[in-house]
Amino acid sequence: MEKDKLTALGEIKLFEGLPQPQLKSLADIAQLRGCKAGETLFEAGQQGTHFFAVVSGKVRVYRASLSGKEQILSVFQAGESFAEVPVFEGKTYPASAQALEDSVLLSIPRKGFVELLRREPELALGVMALLSSRLRAFVGQIAQLSLKEVPERLAGYLLLLRASQGRDELTLDLPKGQIASYLGTIPETLSRAIKKLTELGLIEVAGNRVSVLDPEGLAALAEADR
Amino acid sequence: MEKDKLTALGEIKLFEGLPQPQLKSLADIAQLRGCKAGETLFEAGQQGTHFFAVVSGKVRVYRASLSGKEQILSVFQAGESFAEVPVFEGKTYPASAQALEDSVLLSIPRKGFVELLRREPELALGVMALLSSRLRAFVGQIAQLSLKEVPERLAGYLLLLRASQGRDELTLDLPKGQIASYLGTIPETLSRAIKKLTELGLIEVAGNRVSVLDPEGLAALAEADR
DNA sequence: CGGCTGATTGAATCAGATCAACTGCTGTGG
DNA sequence: CCACAGCAGTTGATCTGATTCAATCAGCCG
């Protein structure tokens, strides 16, 4: 079991390149746990003493409004870590997290991790790079929400998917309702945006399969603004 | 001049508590420079080899759309640093920066700073805390943009100002047009939102002076959603 | 074969953007 | 010292993208 934990830790991108002894000391303090699809890991505002890494499965991080609308901030998959913010600052989670699928997670307590960072400047630089990339992503998300309309945001999202999947035949990584929530809208509006891109001849959609017919056109739309 | 630089560095929050010799070595690599109101410091997408700290004045960081609409991400004042992202990741600025007033800035090259971080774990932790607090702020901003309407966002903004100024008689720190851009809207809409809060008896406004008449009411509105 | 959830479509409504006109202030130059 | 140019802000009228509400449809599991 201890060994599983060690393997799991080694598969987290943030810990790549960490020397074996340090990995071991992480394994001493990390917890390995499973969780069911739909399970809430934490809620915005709660005290956050641990941060997490995804060994398998999928977790969404989001903010909810009282009326039930939700904005997804990110979705994390195997190898990624999340909820680092309260480790370094403020101590409460700025958002909520929920498993989208049955998942296996590592949870790492704040205390021991900070100790490790003091001793491992390269790991610290890795954390700074990770936080920075997240900042960059958020800057993009804020700009999209504020400056672009839904079809343009959708075009941008599809281009991201295309880049990550490396081909024009895409498989949507999330149910459409969740994509809507990530794009800052609702399923009805997403549905109409998809129809619009289809009518423009940019994509073809069947279920959760999307064919990108005109990447340049999509890119042009994604860049466009009012 | 060298001494001024040292003093200036000492007044940057991020460098508080840094031992004198390290401050000196920072002073060796940092540049002190003035800039005029309206001057653009960098544009989104440019290579970013330096990051900045504000000695005096005010700088806004924003993203612009082709059509001219702008979304302000943050405004930085004396003692604050910004544009750290390209130091650690990706190398390009995710947003643009422009001086709002005549300002004095420190610019610190990536290279030497990373070296310093390797040797100074406490500074590294400070940087992580800073990046984390920025992430927290962006999470809030995304949630506001996506989940709240303009009057609610305005209420939230005024409550922040009230907290930072410590009293109910506020002085707006930015021209209203810039506040609109920060709230993700346009001056006309902000103007109407102000009118609405006034009619609700929550605030009173004269020029850039705002009196908070009903903090609880403002808070209730800021929490509210559709 | 029901019944549930996710997705789609249509119609009505609404918040916010756009366009245009107007006010008031500031600072500059005749 | 006054006049006027110019910018920030306000107000009104209109337009539009997105949400809301409601109904329907498709696929999936028991």
Side-chain angles (χ1 to χ4, degrees):
Chain A
M1 199 39 53
E2 198 59 12
K3 191 170 167 201
D4 283 347
K5 221 196 275 182
L6 206 57
T7 324
L9 278 166
E11 284 164 2
I12 305 304
K13 285 183 222 157
L14 184 58
F15 303 135
E16 263 173 27
L18 202 60
Q20 205 62 17
Q22 274 70 14
L23 260 191
K24 285 239 176 59
S25 70
L26 259 185
D28 289 338
I29 59 173
Q31 305 278 334
L32 198 55
R33 59 172 279 207
C35 64
K36 287 272 193 49
E39 190 176 328
T40 294
L41 303 173
F42 53 79
E43 302 257 15
Q46 282 180 357
Q47 291 289 318
T49 52
H50 293 64
F51 80 101
F52 297 85
V54 183
V55 178
S56 70
K58 206 170 276 184
V59 172
R60 71 176 180 137
V61 171
Y62 65 99
R63 284 270 294 243
S65 75
L66 301 176
S67 59
K69 196 186 170 192
E70 294 175 346
Q71 170 67 45
I72 293 185
L73 296 158
S74 341
V75 174
F76 295 102
Q77 286 173 298
E80 300 180 309
S81 43
F82 64 97
E84 303 89 353
V85 166
V87 172
F88 303 109
E89 182 265 358
K91 310 248 196 330
T92 63
Y93 295 113
S96 311
Q98 179 191 38
L100 285 171
E101 307 171 353
D102 294 348
S103 304
V104 177
L105 305 177
L106 282 158
S107 88
I108 297 150
R110 167 199 157 83
K111 189 95 189 307
F113 189 61
V114 170
E115 291 314 314
L116 183 58
L117 283 174
R118 270 188 236 274
R119 284 180 279 117
E120 288 290 323
E122 290 309 317
L123 177 58
L125 284 171
V127 169
M128 289 183 254
L130 180 66
L131 296 174
S132 295
S133 74
R134 216 148 282 168
L135 278 170
R136 182 183 298 274
F138 281 166
V139 166
Q141 210 170 345
I142 290 171
Q144 294 257 327
L145 282 173
S146 170
L147 305 174
K148 307 243 167 109
E149 317 198 325
V150 173
E152 291 147 16
R153 288 180 235 162
L154 172 59
Y157 179 76
L158 292 175
L159 288 171
L160 278 187
L161 268 192
R162 178 172 175 263
S164 90
Q165 299 185 9
R167 63 161 179 284
D168 286 341
E169 310 302 315
L170 312 179
T171 305
L172 296 181
D173 54 344
L174 296 173
K176 285 176 184 158
Q178 297 299 309
I179 294 178
S181 172
Y182 177 75
L183 296 178
T185 186
I186 56 175
E188 291 95 319
T189 302
L190 174 62
S191 190
R192 297 183 233 267
I194 291 175
K195 194 198 265 190
K196 183 174 176 189
L197 299 200
T198 304
E199 283 166 358
L200 289 172
L202 300 175
I203 58 173
E204 250 168 27
V205 181
N208 69 346
R209 296 269 165 186
V210 178
S211 305
V212 175
L213 302 177
D214 180 358
E216 291 80 19
L218 265 192
L221 183 62
E223 302 308 324
D225 56 46
R226 4 188 178 178
Chain B
M1 200 39 54
E2 196 60 14
K3 191 168 167 204
D4 283 346
K5 220 194 277 181
L6 207 56
T7 323
L9 279 166
E11 285 164 2
I12 305 304
K13 284 183 225 158
L14 184 57
F15 303 135
E16 263 173 27
L18 203 59
Q20 204 62 17
Q22 273 69 15
L23 259 191
K24 285 241 176 56
S25 71
L26 258 185
D28 289 338
I29 60 172
Q31 304 279 334
L32 197 57
R33 57 173 281 204
C35 65
K36 289 271 196 44
E39 191 177 327
T40 294
L41 302 173
F42 53 78
E43 302 258 14
Q46 281 181 358
Q47 291 289 318
T49 52
H50 293 64
F51 81 102
F52 298 85
V54 183
V55 179
S56 69
K58 206 171 275 185
V59 172
R60 71 176 180 136
V61 171
Y62 64 98
R63 283 271 294 243
S65 74
L66 301 175
S67 59
K69 195 184 170 193
E70 293 176 347
Q71 170 67 46
I72 293 185
L73 296 158
S74 343
V75 174
F76 296 102
Q77 286 173 299
E80 300 180 310
S81 43
F82 63 97
E84 303 88 353
V85 166
V87 171
F88 303 109
E89 183 265 357
K91 309 247 198 333
T92 63
Y93 295 113
S96 311
Q98 180 191 37
L100 285 172
E101 307 171 352
D102 294 349
S103 305
V104 177
L105 305 177
L106 281 158
S107 88
I108 297 150
R110 166 199 156 85
K111 189 95 189 306
F113 188 62
V114 169
E115 291 313 314
L116 184 57
L117 283 173
R118 271 187 236 274
R119 284 180 278 117
E120 288 290 323
E122 289 310 316
L123 178 59
L125 285 171
V127 169
M128 290 184 253
L130 180 65
L131 296 174
S132 295
S133 74
R134 215 147 282 169
L135 279 170
R136 182 184 297 275
F138 280 166
V139 166
Q141 211 170 344
I142 291 172
Q144 295 257 329
L145 282 172
S146 171
L147 305 174
K148 306 242 169 112
E149 316 199 325
V150 173
E152 292 147 16
R153 287 180 234 162
L154 172 59
Y157 179 76
L158 292 175
L159 288 172
L160 278 186
L161 268 193
R162 184 171 100 107
S164 90
Q165 299 185 9
R167 64 161 180 285
D168 286 340
E169 309 302 314
L170 312 178
T171 305
L172 296 180
D173 54 342
L174 296 172
K176 285 176 186 159
Q178 297 299 310
I179 295 178
S181 173
Y182 177 75
L183 295 178
T185 186
I186 56 175
E188 292 94 319
T189 302
L190 175 61
S191 189
R192 296 183 234 267
I194 292 174
K195 194 197 267 190
K196 183 173 175 189
L197 298 200
T198 304
E199 284 167 357
L200 288 173
L202 301 175
I203 59 174
E204 250 169 25
V205 180
N208 69 346
R209 296 268 166 189
V210 178
S211 304
V212 175
L213 303 178
D214 180 357
E216 291 79 19
L218 265 191
L221 183 62
E223 302 308 324
D225 57 44
R226 5 188 181 173

